[in-house]
Amino acid sequence: MSNTPRDLLKENLDQLQCHFTWAPQKETIDLEDMMYRLQDSVSLNLKYKAHSCNQLAFVNCLKGNYEEAIQNLKEAEKILREDNKDEFERRSIITYGNFAWVHYHMGQLTEAQSYLDKLEMICKPLSDGPCCTAMIPEVYGEKGWSLLRSTARFFEEAKECFEKALEEDPDNVQWNMGYATVLFRLEAIFGTKENREQRQSVKYLRRVLELDPDDSLAMVLLALKLQELKQKKEANELVEQALQKTSDYPKVLRNAAKFYRKEKDVEKAIMLLKKALEISPHSSVLHDQIGMCYKIKLLELIANPLSKDPQNPEFQQKADLFRDCKYHFGKAFEHRPKTAIKSQLDFADICVRNGEYSKADNIYSNLLKLDDTRPENVQTINLKAGLFHLFQRKSEDEAITLLKKALKIEIHAKVWKSAYEHLEKWANKKLYRNPHDSMALGAKGLLHQLVHNKSKAVECYEEALQFDPGNEEYLSALCQLRLSLEDHNDV
């Protein structure tokens, strides 16, 4: 084990709590998109600006922009000093930890050590024993916001951070807003405990508005939840109030647009999103949202028979909408190839509808190669790619393989049901034409197995093996089913 000064310093740095030791790293975040979002947050002079400067320093350091990272941290330190005169030291813990790490990456070991020394002086009175970072609400809270800005896989950890911050400081607006926001997002993810409960975010968004009645983002997020709960009157009032209070905050405009899109007022949603895009032209989320609005208009036009007539104005409108959808969905994942799954699937769907199969094929191929993607995303990708291969590419082997993969992930009920129904319809059609089709019999075996009709599944697999002896997939499934049936009979 090496004991050089650099290695010993690194050991101490690894003990810190700051952006450089928290989970999201270069491999798990889309750096360009993260940079644009943080730059917007800083330039718009939004709440919690120091948090954004801290995280922007981390992203700049990952990109090798060390001088920019130092400037970001100096800005964070300046804001914290101005806004928190009495509590500056408590609130500077993360900033000083980041300073130490950036200087370490620059090879400036003396400067890095000086920040470690500052942290020791600050943290010693705040902790029970020797500790590199005092675990106080300010540390938990900033970690929560950092994780919340990354990808969905870190939302549960962000929630835990805000819970710990609120244990000691239950009336803090920042931590209540962070907790409400992470609950809001978890409630939208299939398979989470929060998704099944659905109402916790309402309680905490109301708490934020008790503590800060002018928080327009809390208003519009609460409106979206109340819209889901069919409390339309209060929801409408909250959105209108939020837009009156803050007419130039992209997050408020974006969420208000989402509200109006769900109310089927697509034109108003587009108007708000265009206004937000003028302020944040690189926002992936804004491009995705406006793409969704144009897609709604496109699907309505496709259903109109007049849009098929080149002599009719609707035909050109349809062409314009195809272009607009592709432009905005393309912009939405331009800097988020690892995380903007939905935008890529929407882009592929538009290409399929426009007959651009090679472009769609390329999108599906890239998505199927993604690693470390949430199971519900993997399930949806396999379903969409499977249907594309089944109906557009007429590649049954590939299609059935993908549909089976989607079915083996039991997360998103609607996606699972769609995969089941498509595979069942395909198998029945094949068996109607040829009762000895081993691939269709194998598919039927899986379908029976998934709904726990084990005896029927055994019959199908046995019959499939008559026409495809030695098929490892069928043999393995049959072996598992027989063992399961024997165990059941032994009980």
Side-chain angles (χ1 to χ4, degrees):
M1 184 175 176
S2 176
N3 286 316
T4 66
R6 185 180 180 89
D7 292 329
L8 291 171
L9 178 63
K10 174 70 161 52
E11 283 182 32
N12 290 328
L13 289 171
D14 284 333
Q15 303 305 309
L16 296 179
Q17 284 283 334
C18 65
H19 291 85
F20 290 83
T21 59
W22 296 334
Q25 297 293 324
K26 201 170 188 174
E27 300 75 27
T28 54
I29 56 176
D30 291 311
L31 287 180
E32 290 297 325
D33 176 64
M34 178 73 81
M35 179 166 279
Y36 283 133
R37 284 191 284 141
L38 292 167
Q39 285 172 340
D40 279 348
S41 182
V42 171
S43 64
L44 291 167
N45 206 28
L46 301 176
K47 286 182 180 179
Y48 325 135
K49 183 177 175 180
H51 296 347
S52 299
C53 289
N54 259 321
Q55 197 163 5
L56 184 56
F58 168 66
V59 173
N60 267 317
C61 192
L62 286 182
K63 291 172 68 68
N65 303 330
Y66 302 125
E67 293 299 337
E68 288 92 333
I70 292 292
Q71 290 307 311
N72 297 146
L73 293 173
K74 285 180 177 178
E75 178 70 9
E77 186 178 25
K78 177 172 173 282
I79 295 164
L80 292 170
R81 206 177 281 280
E82 290 171 354
D83 294 350
N84 307 278
K85 291 182 175 64
D86 297 333
E87 296 185 329
F88 167 70
E89 288 193 337
R90 292 173 63 93
R91 294 182 179 274
S92 64
I93 289 172
I94 304 302
T95 307
Y96 285 165
N98 286 340
F99 260 124
W101 268 100
V102 176
H103 282 299
Y104 169 79
H105 283 294
M106 296 173 77
Q108 298 171 352
L109 306 190
T110 304
E111 288 84 348
Q113 184 60 52
S114 73
Y115 279 102
L116 285 177
D117 295 340
K118 282 185 183 181
L119 281 170
E120 187 177 354
M121 290 179 64
I122 293 169
C123 293
K124 198 170 182 179
L126 299 173
S127 56
D128 296 332
C131 183
C132 294
T133 308
M135 294 311 295
I136 58 176
E138 288 82 358
V139 172
Y140 282 121
E142 186 154 357
K143 183 176 182 181
W145 280 114
S146 173
L147 295 170
L148 192 53
R149 285 196 189 101
S150 56
T151 61
R153 59 179 286 205
F154 299 111
F155 288 173
E156 285 290 352
E157 190 179 352
K159 178 187 165 191
E160 291 171 12
C161 289
F162 289 122
E163 285 173 342
K164 287 174 181 173
L166 286 168
E167 281 175 14
E168 292 189 48
D169 193 0
D171 295 331
N172 185 288
V173 182
Q174 285 190 46
W175 318 147
N176 275 286
M177 186 57 183
Y179 193 53
T181 305
V182 77
L183 288 171
F184 182 92
R185 294 190 187 176
L186 284 167
E187 286 167 3
I189 297 174
F190 290 98
T192 62
K193 176 172 66 73
E194 292 77 13
N195 180 253
R196 293 188 293 275
E197 294 172 357
Q198 282 294 324
R199 290 175 180 265
Q200 277 293 94
S201 63
V202 171
K203 173 184 172 183
Y204 283 92
L205 287 166
R206 290 198 188 281
R207 178 65 179 141
V208 171
L209 290 172
E210 284 175 15
L211 295 166
D212 181 3
D214 293 324
D215 193 316
S216 56
L217 182 56
M219 286 177 200
V220 77
L221 291 180
L222 179 57
L224 284 166
K225 289 305 299 184
L226 294 178
Q227 184 184 44
E228 289 176 22
L229 299 169
K230 311 299 181 190
Q231 298 176 30
K232 297 288 183 74
K233 184 175 184 295
E234 186 183 359
N236 271 292
E237 289 171 357
L238 281 165
V239 172
E240 289 170 9
Q241 191 179 349
L243 289 171
Q244 284 170 8
K245 285 184 178 293
T246 316
S247 60
D248 59 352
Y249 182 8
K251 276 190 181 178
V252 170
L253 293 168
R254 181 233 302 173
N255 284 291
K258 185 177 181 181
F259 178 88
Y260 287 117
R261 173 169 57 80
K262 288 186 171 184
E263 291 294 304
K264 304 195 186 311
D265 191 345
V266 178
E267 294 302 333
K268 188 163 186 176
I270 290 172
M271 182 266 291
L272 291 170
L273 289 166
K274 284 183 173 179
K275 185 176 180 181
L277 273 172
E278 288 175 7
I279 303 164
S280 299
H282 299 294
S283 170
S284 299
V285 181
L286 289 173
H287 280 292
D288 178 70
Q289 292 286 311
I290 200 166
M292 289 171 68
C293 290
Y294 283 130
K295 185 176 180 180
I296 290 169
K297 295 182 64 151
L298 174 63
L299 295 180
E300 288 175 355
L301 204 53
I302 287 173
N304 182 349
L306 294 174
S307 70
K308 296 178 176 64
D309 180 6
Q311 306 304 315
N312 201 289
E314 276 83 350
F315 184 85
Q316 184 57 47
Q317 288 174 27
K318 183 175 72 173
D320 292 342
L321 285 168
F322 269 120
R323 182 199 64 224
D324 291 340
C325 285
K326 282 166 54 184
Y327 172 76
H328 287 289
F329 286 133
K331 281 287 182 185
F333 68 83
E334 183 178 18
H335 300 297
R336 295 178 65 199
K338 291 181 283 191
T339 55
I341 308 298
K342 183 193 151 301
S343 303
Q344 293 176 75
L345 289 171
D346 277 326
F347 184 93
D349 181 56
I350 295 298
C351 290
V352 168
R353 292 175 186 277
N354 203 31
E356 299 174 87
Y357 295 161
S358 61
K359 286 185 180 179
D361 203 351
N362 187 50
I363 293 288
Y364 289 129
S365 297
N366 289 334
L367 287 174
L368 288 166
K369 291 173 191 170
L370 283 179
D371 294 324
D372 203 22
T373 304
R374 290 181 68 88
E376 65 269 24
N377 287 333
V378 175
Q379 185 186 36
T380 305
I381 291 165
N382 278 285
L383 170 67
K384 299 287 188 181
L387 296 180
F388 171 72
H389 282 285
L390 186 63
F391 295 119
Q392 276 76 40
R393 287 302 194 203
K394 310 298 181 186
S395 174
E396 289 187 339
D397 287 1
E398 181 69 14
I400 302 314
T401 298
L402 292 167
L403 290 176
K404 285 180 179 178
K405 285 181 180 177
L407 282 168
K408 288 174 183 177
I409 303 170
E410 297 188 35
I411 296 224
H412 193 318
K414 287 183 180 178
V415 174
W416 192 90
K417 184 181 178 185
S418 178
Y420 189 98
E421 289 174 349
H422 277 101
L423 187 58
E424 184 178 45
K425 187 176 179 181
W426 171 84
N428 288 340
K429 188 176 177 182
K430 296 289 283 186
L431 290 171
Y432 178 79
R433 293 176 181 170
N434 176 13
H436 301 153
D437 189 307
S438 61
M439 193 172 167
L441 287 164
K444 290 288 280 187
L446 174 64
L447 293 169
H448 286 305
Q449 188 178 356
L450 289 167
V451 295
H452 308 294
N453 191 343
K454 294 179 182 179
S455 57
K456 276 282 189 185
V458 167
E459 286 178 24
C460 289
Y461 281 126
E462 286 178 340
E463 197 173 349
L465 283 165
Q466 290 178 26
F467 307 107
D468 186 8
N471 184 297
E472 290 185 8
E473 179 188 346
Y474 306 157
L475 285 167
S476 174
L478 192 56
C479 180
Q480 288 178 18
L481 284 162
R482 283 174 175 161
L483 285 170
S484 175
L485 287 167
E486 285 174 12
D487 290 342
H488 180 74
N489 291 333
D490 288 341
V491 173

